[in-house]
Amino acid sequence: METVKEKKFQENRERVILAGVDIGNDQEEFDRSMRELAELAKACDMEPIGNITQKMESINKSLYLGSGKVDELFKAAGALEAELIIFNDTLTPSQLRNLQDMLKIPVMDRTTLILDIFERRARTREARLQVESARLQYLLPRLVGMHEALTRQGGTSGSMSSRGAGEKKLELDRRRIEHRISELNKELEEITKEREVQRKKRQHSGIPLVALVGYTNAGKSTILNRMLEKYDMDEEKKVLEKDMLFATLDTSVRRICTGNNRDFLLSDTVGFIHKLPHGLVKAFRATLLELKTADLLLQIVDGSDPCYQKQMETTNETIAQLGAGHIPMITVFNKSDRLEGKIPYPQIVRDKIYMSAKEDSSIEMLAKMILDKVYGDFKETCFLIPYQMGNLVSYFMENAQIISIEYEKEGTRLRVRCHPGDKEKYICYEERKTE
């Protein structure tokens, strides 16, 4: 039963109609895209109140939809008291202008909607700069034609003073935007340098980096939080967790302490989505490049979503674009509890795991799977270290998995599982088996 507060919130939400053109033969894919558009609108605190769709061989260059369908949309918007119309593709400036002239209410495309969501969700300075950069880069090429409705230019000499108000405004807007983009790029370059320093520190520490990747709202943040609950118990380290598209944008890195020097860093990244604006991928590239330095990727998949295979394709394409396709990957089919017993869980099938982030047994199995991957090349050996080399014992206590420790007359006997590099480096202290 809805509370008064919920009803008031619903009343205050902007009423929107969704419009899309199906130019392919995959009806299921188009329907999925329209459902996703509705979820994006809800994520931006809007209320979808109707859909207008049209099947065409190609998109109308001037109106996106056919003229008859635009007229139908105009009547529907009036009847439903819509405040905004959102189109399921990126519109050209002329399409935007023509549609607004005919529909008499504001018009928005899919790209602008996603940019709005990112702008609302951005919390850190880096994320805010990235979103602003993406928005301005999206706007810049669309200035051409957007001021045609203003006065014509006057004179023909080339000086700014002889131009009409429309051209002068266009030129000034372009210069302001280009200047701001330049400023943003400089600031983002500085942040990128800071990230590079942090990245090198992490690599020097020798702690494996595991990156969560996947479609938005597949459960990446939930898995990160459940790992922290299981192995850390520090509530302040948790990230925002919400059943919503793009609930979190900021990359978070947390240390997961499983014991016996088998820690790993778990990195949560921005989610992907079908038709993710190129400008956003480009703007968030510095953040997403964390993936390239990861030792292992966890592709989180909402196994209960009927379109999960298409979502995996989108994720894999984006990972390949970022140059991280060569990194070992575990595919995590999350939300298996919603499959009504079709697949037993938790269970591991080769490099896949079926699980539910809500359950401890799933988190434990996933953690073991991660450890087997990132520490799989560690070698078991036995060192006999002279007592005067106590600093070396301390090193192994901090950087190796201790199996046993004994104090002998000749020195400290350590049986460990350690990095192959350490085994080779300190081979002179390795205790050989006598025949």
Side-chain angles (χ1 to χ4, degrees):
M1 191 172 178
E2 283 189 332
T3 64
V4 174
K5 188 176 180 180
E6 287 171 338
K7 285 181 179 178
K8 188 174 181 180
F9 175 70
Q10 291 288 341
E11 289 171 1
N12 291 333
R13 297 178 77 174
E14 196 170 17
R15 295 165 60 83
V16 300
I17 292 178
L18 311 178
V21 171
D22 180 8
I23 58 173
N25 297 317
D26 193 339
Q27 184 65 44
E28 184 180 336
E29 170 72 10
F30 176 70
D31 292 342
R32 178 183 74 85
S33 182
M34 289 299 294
R35 287 196 301 271
E36 199 169 76
L37 185 66
E39 290 302 313
L40 287 167
K42 291 175 185 176
C44 209
D45 296 334
M46 298 172 181
E47 183 184 358
I49 56 173
N51 277 18
I52 295 285
T53 62
Q54 185 173 20
K55 195 169 185 65
M56 302 171 70
E57 290 185 3
S58 62
I59 288 173
N60 186 322
K61 290 183 179 179
S62 62
L63 290 170
Y64 179 74
L65 297 165
S67 56
K69 189 63 72 169
V70 173
D71 187 54
E72 180 185 332
L73 185 54
F74 171 74
K75 292 175 181 176
L80 296 172
E81 298 181 348
E83 300 167 87
L84 176 69
I85 298 172
I86 304 175
F87 290 84
N88 194 32
D89 288 285
T90 301
L91 299 176
T92 65
S94 60
Q95 286 171 341
L96 278 166
R97 186 180 61 252
N98 294 339
L99 285 167
Q100 287 187 158
D101 286 347
M102 293 184 69
L103 296 171
K104 309 302 182 187
I105 64 171
V107 167
M108 178 185 286
D109 62 11
R110 185 185 179 101
T111 298
T112 305
L113 177 61
I114 293 175
L115 286 168
D116 278 359
I117 295 170
F118 270 55
E119 195 168 51
R120 289 176 181 225
R121 301 282 185 274
R123 292 290 178 268
T124 64
R125 174 171 167 264
E126 181 182 19
R128 287 195 292 268
L129 292 174
Q130 288 167 329
V131 174
E132 185 182 354
S133 174
R135 183 180 285 281
L136 292 177
Q137 289 177 40
Y138 171 75
L139 176 62
L140 187 59
R142 285 165 174 74
L143 288 176
V144 178
M146 291 179 70
H147 294 287
E148 287 179 5
L150 301 176
T151 61
R152 294 183 180 183
Q153 71 178 62
T156 56
S157 71
S159 66
M160 180 72 79
S161 61
S162 66
R163 299 182 186 185
E167 186 168 351
K168 281 194 287 187
K169 176 159 178 54
L170 174 62
E171 188 65 27
L172 288 170
D173 284 352
R174 187 196 303 280
R175 288 182 184 179
R176 287 194 198 100
I177 290 173
E178 288 176 342
H179 178 68
R180 181 57 182 156
I181 288 175
S182 178
E183 289 180 333
L184 291 169
N185 287 339
K186 287 178 183 176
E187 291 186 69
L188 287 169
E189 280 175 17
E190 289 301 314
I191 293 175
T192 300
K193 289 176 184 176
E194 292 172 13
R195 275 192 171 278
E196 189 60 33
V197 171
Q198 294 170 356
R199 197 177 291 128
K200 285 180 178 177
K201 284 182 180 178
R202 288 200 296 266
Q203 289 175 329
H204 184 70
S205 73
I207 303 173
L209 175 63
V210 181
L212 295 160
V213 297
Y215 217 72
T216 180
N217 205 32
K220 297 184 298 299
S221 298
T222 303
I223 287 175
L224 175 59
N225 285 341
R226 295 297 88 76
M227 282 280 183
L228 288 170
E229 284 179 5
K230 183 70 180 174
Y231 299 106
D232 195 285
M233 299 302 291
D234 188 345
E235 292 289 324
E236 292 184 2
K237 291 183 180 178
K238 285 188 176 183
V239 298
L240 177 65
E241 176 187 326
K242 200 169 184 180
D243 186 11
M244 178 188 291
L245 300 185
F246 298 118
T248 55
L249 294 184
D250 305 311
T251 297
S252 304
V253 181
R254 300 291 186 267
R255 184 166 180 163
I256 307 300
C257 306
T258 61
N260 199 13
N261 291 329
R262 297 208 301 169
D263 298 356
F264 59 90
L265 299 171
L266 194 56
S267 171
D268 186 16
T269 59
V270 62
F272 307 135
I273 197 169
H274 182 56
K275 298 181 183 178
L276 184 65
H278 175 72
L280 277 175
V281 176
K282 186 177 178 181
F284 277 77
R285 192 174 185 83
T287 303
L288 292 170
L289 284 179
E290 290 279 349
L291 304 184
K292 290 184 69 174
T293 61
D295 299 283
L296 178 68
L297 301 181
L298 299 186
Q299 182 178 172
I300 313 302
V301 180
D302 180 354
S304 67
D305 193 308
C307 300
Y308 76 88
Q309 289 178 319
K310 292 286 186 182
Q311 296 175 356
M312 289 177 68
E313 287 175 14
T314 299
T315 300
N316 289 329
E317 286 170 7
T318 309
I319 290 171
Q321 288 172 15
L322 294 166
H326 64 285
I327 298 173
M329 180 187 291
I330 293 173
T331 305
V332 181
F333 289 96
N334 190 30
K335 307 184 185 181
S336 294
D337 52 311
R338 298 183 182 180
L339 294 177
E340 299 178 358
K342 292 179 183 177
I343 297 177
Y345 74 93
Q347 69 162 324
I348 296 171
V349 182
R350 293 185 291 279
D351 285 336
K352 302 181 181 70
I353 177 172
Y354 296 86
M355 58 167 281
S356 168
K358 296 178 180 178
E359 300 181 8
D360 278 358
S361 56
S362 290
I363 295 298
E364 289 169 4
M365 186 176 288
L366 176 59
K368 183 180 183 305
M369 198 175 182
I370 292 169
L371 294 173
D372 288 345
K373 286 283 185 183
V374 297
Y375 288 105
D377 63 344
F378 271 41
K379 306 295 183 183
E380 183 174 331
T381 190
C382 186
F383 294 108
L384 184 60
I385 302 171
Y387 285 117
Q388 62 265 33
M389 297 296 293
N391 60 325
L392 187 53
V393 174
S394 299
Y395 173 82
F396 280 115
M397 294 290 284
E398 292 178 7
N399 296 281
Q401 299 157 29
I402 307 299
I403 298 171
S404 66
I405 181 168
E406 299 173 15
Y407 299 98
E408 305 291 345
K409 184 178 179 181
E410 301 85 356
T412 306
R413 178 180 286 114
L414 284 177
R415 181 165 292 281
V416 301
R417 293 187 78 249
C418 65
H419 192 280
D422 285 339
K423 184 178 186 296
E424 186 67 27
K425 184 176 181 180
Y426 300 108
I427 195 169
C428 60
Y429 298 108
E430 189 174 16
E431 189 175 48
R432 304 289 182 177
K433 290 183 179 180
T434 56
E435 298 295 334

